[in-house]
Amino acid sequence: MKQDYEKLNFTVGPVMSFPDIKQIGGRDVPYFRTAEFSAVGQDNERLIKKLLGMPQDSRAVFLTGSGTAAMEAVVMNCLTSSDRALIVDGGSFGHRFTELCSIHGVPFDSISLGGGRTLTEEDLRPYEGGPYTAFLVNLHETSTGVLYDGDLISDFCRRNGLFLIVDAISCFLADELDAEKLGADAVVVSSQKALALAPGLSVIVMSGRAVDRVQCAQTVSMYFDLKRYLRDGQRGQTPFTPAVNVLLQLHRRLSDIDAAGGVSCECARVAAVARDFRAKAEGLPFELYAQTPSNAVSALRVRCRTRADEIFAVLKDEYDIFVCPNGGALASEVFRVGHIGNITCEDNSRLIDAFHSMISRGRIIV
Ligand SMILES: *Cc1c(COP(=O)(O)O)cnc(C)c1O
């Protein structure tokens, strides 16, 4: 059996990296308090703002921590007990925002969407003209594979004057996203999803309005006080030792995407892999769980007598393939196949072949 790092990886993160990115990860880490590394830091800020489509006066800060660290930093620095947040709770990542607001004393209401359901106008109507100041959403709820309608959210927030916080961690580079058109005030991105870098780095891109909120906030934290990151970021640095190698990987990846003409190319590639998988999966005893599926992942509800988590385990142990299990209430019912990172249509065929083999061996009982 292959080592775990040799397995074909269809999870949603960390995902398989491209060869030039892995090469950077294999090198010694350079010293970083230098003019040369500052130039990389400043260029990373320029590139991420450009590729996300954030306005000129926005700022990006680079946080060494997984995506949740950035979600928490945004809540701590941009919201207070005087706010009232409206949170889309469509799965485990949406639920995480409700937990963060509870921990940090930010009053909120949440819109619960069970069963792979998407957000609709009817879901928002009861909150129209309500006492809200902020709206928090994971544009792609990775746990269910549901991609929400950006225009719907954007219109609602503009109409109601809401500060919009967007977790774009699993949609950046998978589904088209124009943060300025969306009117987003804070956008969160992380290294291990479609960016396909090593985990441990997240980025928060903030509008001028968000920067003002950060500057006025009385954030009770040393590591998560973004004022320090804004200040040091002006010269391309971070207050504390960053994930230096991941920042170098980020620079390579963003530069390549920019040189290829922007995010459209990358989103189209991911979309093609997703389409290919869904076409090849026709006839298997699974159905798409998400009402409005993203390009990043296919969440599959099993329509057979074998449990979803059992399918995950057999693929891992007998086929050297990782798919992504679901947790909690969906563990037996749903598993996910990711389309991000260095995955090809040939890889899809290998996974489809494995499913057929499992059926013929009685490891999937239809
Ligand atoms: C992966 C992910 C996160 C971050 O999870 P971490 O494990 O903290 O990196 C947050 N939101 C969404 C939508 C994600 O897909």
Side-chain angles (χ1 to χ4, degrees):
M1 194 181 306
K2 290 184 176 171
Q3 299 290 320
D4 281 350
Y5 55 79
E6 294 172 307
K7 291 192 200 315
L8 192 51
N9 184 346
F10 286 92
T11 67
V12 284
V15 297
M16 297 191 296
S17 292
F18 298 93
D20 53 340
I21 298 295
K22 283 196 276 202
Q23 215 172 33
I24 295 169
R27 290 184 199 148
D28 273 328
V29 178
Y31 181 63
F32 67 100
R33 299 289 188 203
T34 61
E36 289 78 7
F37 193 72
S38 292
V40 170
Q42 286 174 324
D43 209 39
N44 272 339
E45 180 169 5
R46 178 186 70 83
L47 285 166
I48 192 85
K49 279 168 53 175
K50 180 177 173 192
L51 294 176
L52 273 171
M54 283 292 275
Q56 268 304 319
D57 68 339
S58 62
R59 290 291 312 277
V61 296
F62 299 86
L63 204 58
T64 294
S66 79
T68 306
M71 292 167 72
E72 181 155 26
V74 169
V75 170
M76 291 172 74
N77 285 267
C78 294
L79 301 177
T80 71
S81 58
S82 311
D83 281 295
R84 184 157 199 100
L86 187 57
I87 302 174
V88 182
D89 181 355
S92 55
F93 293 108
H95 196 68
R96 194 164 297 177
F97 269 137
T98 69
E99 293 178 289
L100 287 168
C101 285
S102 295
I103 290 168
H104 296 289
V106 177
F108 68 90
D109 287 305
S110 60
I111 304 173
S112 288
L113 303 169
R117 218 161 57 68
T118 199
L119 183 75
T120 64
E121 225 165 323
E122 290 73 67
D123 294 311
L124 290 174
R125 193 163 298 131
Y127 303 96
E128 203 75 60
Y132 303 102
T133 58
F135 192 93
L136 282 70
V137 65
N138 321 82
L139 205 53
H140 171 220
E141 172 50 76
T142 323
S143 67
T144 60
V146 174
L147 179 73
Y148 300 126
D149 179 346
D151 291 338
L152 177 74
I153 291 166
S154 171
D155 290 348
F156 179 81
C157 289
R158 284 183 214 272
R159 226 174 21 248
N160 289 279
L162 304 184
F163 184 86
L164 175 56
I165 296 172
V166 174
D167 169 354
I169 291 175
S170 61
C171 61
F172 180 55
L173 301 181
D175 288 285
E176 295 274 357
L177 164 75
D178 181 336
E180 188 162 20
K181 181 160 163 269
L182 199 58
D185 288 292
V187 181
V188 180
V189 167
S190 192
S191 56
Q192 82 276 26
K193 302 284 165 78
L195 271 168
L197 316 176
L201 179 76
S202 42
V203 190
I204 306 168
V205 190
M206 293 175 277
S207 68
R209 198 154 80 131
V211 170
D212 291 343
R213 279 196 174 227
V214 173
Q215 299 294 10
C216 294
Q218 287 171 343
T219 308
V220 186
S221 173
M222 177 180 278
Y223 200 78
F224 289 106
D225 188 341
L226 296 183
K227 286 190 273 300
R228 286 175 175 241
Y229 291 81
L230 285 169
R231 185 195 61 205
D232 293 359
Q234 282 175 331
R235 54 187 175 92
Q237 288 284 331
T238 50
F240 314 107
T241 308
V244 176
N245 267 7
V246 192
L247 282 169
L248 292 170
Q249 290 180 322
L250 179 71
H251 191 241
R252 165 61 67 84
R253 185 85 161 108
L254 296 182
S255 302
D256 287 349
I257 292 165
D258 188 43
V263 297
S264 296
C265 244
E266 195 57 16
C267 291
R269 193 187 59 77
V270 174
V273 174
R275 260 196 319 273
D276 173 76
F277 173 78
R278 288 168 195 168
K280 288 173 179 166
E282 291 278 335
L284 288 168
F286 315 130
E287 65 185 18
L288 269 182
Y289 184 65
Q291 197 180 10
T292 49
S294 70
N295 292 329
V297 66
S298 297
L300 299 171
R301 186 210 294 264
V302 298
R303 281 277 168 249
C304 56
R305 275 148 57 209
T306 311
R307 290 169 55 102
D309 44 3
E310 175 72 11
I311 293 172
F312 158 77
V314 173
L315 284 170
K316 171 172 73 68
D317 296 335
E318 299 174 23
Y319 293 89
D320 292 317
I321 293 174
F322 284 123
V323 292
C324 204
N326 268 64
L330 292 178
S332 65
E333 235 185 299
V334 175
F335 69 94
R336 290 165 295 163
V337 174
H339 311 302
I340 53 179
N342 191 10
I343 281 280
T344 63
C345 296
E346 291 73 58
D347 296 328
N348 284 343
S349 294
R350 241 190 84 190
L351 175 58
I352 297 292
D353 289 347
F355 286 133
H356 287 295
S357 160
M358 284 172 71
I359 292 170
S360 64
R361 292 172 59 234
R363 305 296 270 133
I364 289 176
I365 301 168
V366 292

